[in-house]
Amino acid sequence: MTSPETSTGAAEGTSAPAAAGGVRKSVTGTRGLVAAGFLLPALVLLGALVVYPIGYSLYRSFFDRSGSGFAGFDNYVEIFTDDTIFTAVKNNAIWVVVAPAVATALGLMFAVLTERVRWGTAFKLIVFMPMAISMLAAGIIFRLVYEQDPERGVANAVWVGVHDTFSESAGFPKARPLPAHPLKPAGGGAFVTERPVTAGSPVELPLVGVPADTMPSDARPAKAAPPDDGRITGTAWLDFTRGGGGTVNAIDAKELGLKGLEVEAVKDGKVVATATAAADGTFSLPKEADGAVLRLPESNFREPYNGVDWLGPSLVTPAIIGSYVWMWAGFAMVLIAAGLAAVPRELLEAARVDGANEWQVFRKVTVPLLAPVLAVVLVTLMINVLKIFDLVFIIAPGSVQDDANVLALQLYRSSFGTDADLGVGSAIAVLLLLLVIPVMAFNIRRMRRETRR
């Protein structure tokens, strides 16, 4: 049996060599030198891929285009004085303020509204699916979505469809009389007869410039209107014969009536009667039109509504932000839904018992409890939009790329190509780093605060 003294001596004997040798071990028995050896490859990669590029970019930003002359802060001054680069700075500010806020708000709305519905999971899957698409593919998709031609662009197809539902399109855009025809321009796109009309004398209103494929499908061969002593009669027709031939200002056998053409009788600047041409082009006006001039209003000839110029200078940035929100709203929704699942239901029920309605529960209970998650989503998206490049480069046409410019795109344009200026490009890179640092610092502080709880 071992005595206490022996045990104590053994313990002391064990610790003595460690004390004598002066070598201390960590709790796990791993020596500091071994730990440094394992960390060395990661530190080398970190230095080569992160620290060195940042340091060299900072150094290069103080030199001119060639890199041989010291430029001081000239490159940084150019960022805020060059119109193209300053537009990129302003657009980046718009991106940072609008895109993360809209994506987070939509994610919060989707997460809350689909929390208790049976098809909520399927809806979340559909909303999250765009995250599986690369930025390049999304840019190509939305370049087609925003195409100006309604027959190709989905956005304008929908917009034009809604517009035409409430506003009837013109029947004969680009139609016009020939110089030899008995019509003359009246301003604003309308045409009038050269002389007043009289009852009993049929009026002829020939027009040209109507493509055959835009003629009404139920148009019939034009025919001369019969005279009527008590009314104003006439014919409006397309004075053009396919294959050639035909007589100007005369109704030929193969020429079609302009069905639906509106005709107005105007006296002393006031419309006294109106008529619409039939399938064969004939029309009839009451006796009040006797002595009036006939007018073909501009509504017959206005260009068809062609939708919105989504990729024009004024709308290109909001349009691209819309495509970004389409991609990232699902990301925000999934994270917020996960946070919402951890919210104690007792607190929500207690608020309802106390008389709060659903809006008050959402605003004063749900949102404050989700504040940490909302902060994570918002900060992540802010960092993401600061370096947005792909969508802008792909979606914005070359003619408006300056209007849609952002810092990451300008960094690419300034650093590569025949007109590259590495000094300005490096200054833009440093500016982007400076913009990201506060957001990252906020995120780190928030994470540390959450860890202490």
Side-chain angles (χ1 to χ4, degrees):
M1 186 173 181
T2 307
S3 64
E5 292 80 7
T6 308
S7 300
T8 303
E12 292 176 354
T14 304
S15 59
V23 179
R24 301 186 62 183
K25 295 184 179 181
S26 66
V27 176
T28 58
T30 305
R31 297 177 184 273
L33 188 60
V34 175
F38 279 105
L39 288 175
L40 185 60
L43 293 175
V44 170
L45 288 175
L46 182 67
L49 300 180
V50 178
V51 177
Y52 174 74
I54 292 175
Y56 183 76
S57 296
L58 179 62
Y59 166 80
R60 186 64 177 83
S61 66
F62 292 105
F63 287 83
D64 59 12
R65 180 190 298 265
S66 63
S68 57
F70 184 74
F73 288 95
D74 290 351
N75 293 323
Y76 292 94
V77 172
E78 185 172 346
I79 292 177
F80 298 98
T81 55
D82 183 271
D83 290 339
T84 301
I85 304 178
F86 189 60
T87 299
V89 175
K90 292 189 293 184
N91 285 342
N92 253 99
I94 295 172
W95 271 90
V96 170
V97 172
V98 176
V102 174
T104 304
L106 283 177
L108 176 62
M109 182 178 67
F110 292 155
V112 172
L113 293 180
T114 59
E115 182 188 15
R116 295 186 179 182
V117 295
R118 288 184 300 175
W119 43 267
T121 303
F123 178 82
K124 291 175 183 176
L125 178 63
I126 293 173
V127 175
F128 187 74
M129 280 180 63
M131 283 296 298
I133 303 174
S134 68
M135 286 282 196
L136 175 64
I140 295 172
I141 291 171
F142 274 87
R143 179 65 181 270
L144 296 175
V145 167
Y146 292 135
E147 185 71 39
Q148 178 69 35
D149 185 356
E151 295 185 359
R152 298 179 59 190
V154 175
N156 265 343
V158 174
W159 193 270
V160 170
V162 173
H163 175 274
D164 290 348
T165 300
F166 298 98
S167 178
E168 187 176 356
S169 59
F172 306 100
K174 299 183 180 180
R176 65 191 186 281
L178 287 174
H181 286 177
L183 290 167
K184 63 180 181 179
F191 300 98
V192 296
T193 54
E194 293 181 344
R195 291 179 294 275
V197 296
T198 56
S201 299
V203 183
E204 294 181 341
L205 302 177
L207 293 173
V208 296
V210 183
D213 57 350
T214 63
M215 284 290 291
S217 58
D218 53 350
R220 298 289 179 265
K223 67 178 183 180
D228 189 333
D229 291 336
R231 300 180 68 84
I232 300 294
T233 59
T235 304
W237 81 98
L238 178 61
D239 193 13
F240 172 78
T241 302
R242 278 191 173 185
T247 305
V248 176
N249 292 344
I251 300 174
D252 298 303
K254 295 182 179 181
E255 296 175 347
L256 299 176
L258 297 174
K259 180 186 177 183
L261 187 77
E262 295 182 6
V263 182
E264 298 175 341
V266 181
K267 280 185 179 180
D268 300 325
K270 296 181 179 180
V271 178
V272 296
T274 60
T276 302
D280 57 4
T282 58
F283 61 89
S284 176
L285 292 163
K287 61 181 180 179
E288 289 82 3
D290 191 15
V293 294
L294 300 188
R295 180 173 66 187
L296 304 181
E298 64 277 4
S299 58
N300 289 312
F301 313 113
R302 63 173 178 263
E303 292 288 337
Y305 183 66
N306 204 34
V308 177
D309 188 8
W310 298 104
L311 299 181
S314 58
L315 289 179
V316 62
T317 294
I320 300 173
I321 290 176
S323 66
Y324 178 88
V325 171
W326 175 77
M327 288 192 67
W328 287 87
F331 167 81
M333 178 196 65
V334 169
L335 291 187
I336 295 171
L340 190 61
V343 171
R345 301 300 163 193
E346 313 86 63
L347 298 178
L348 304 181
E349 294 302 327
R352 294 187 181 100
V353 170
D354 288 342
N357 57 38
E358 291 301 322
W359 170 246
Q360 290 172 326
V361 171
F362 171 76
R363 185 165 56 92
K364 296 185 177 182
V365 180
T366 304
V367 172
L369 290 174
L370 288 175
V373 178
L374 295 176
V376 170
V377 174
L378 199 60
V379 169
T380 302
L381 294 181
M382 288 177 67
I383 295 174
N384 188 266
V385 299
L386 279 171
K387 56 183 182 179
I388 193 71
F389 168 82
D390 317 62
L391 289 178
V392 180
F393 184 72
I394 298 298
I395 295 178
S399 58
V400 297
Q401 206 164 77
D402 285 346
D403 299 285
N405 203 11
V406 290
L407 285 174
L409 177 59
Q410 185 59 42
L411 171 61
Y412 169 79
R413 296 168 68 180
S414 297
S415 302
F416 301 97
T418 55
D419 196 33
D421 187 339
L422 292 180
V424 174
S426 299
I428 295 173
V430 173
L431 176 62
L432 274 174
L433 176 64
L434 294 176
L435 293 175
V436 170
I437 286 176
V439 182
M440 292 180 61
F442 170 81
N443 205 23
I444 292 171
R445 287 183 60 189
R446 184 199 56 77
M447 292 174 63
R448 287 178 176 174
R449 192 163 51 246
E450 289 294 321
T451 305
R452 294 193 195 104
R453 290 180 180 178

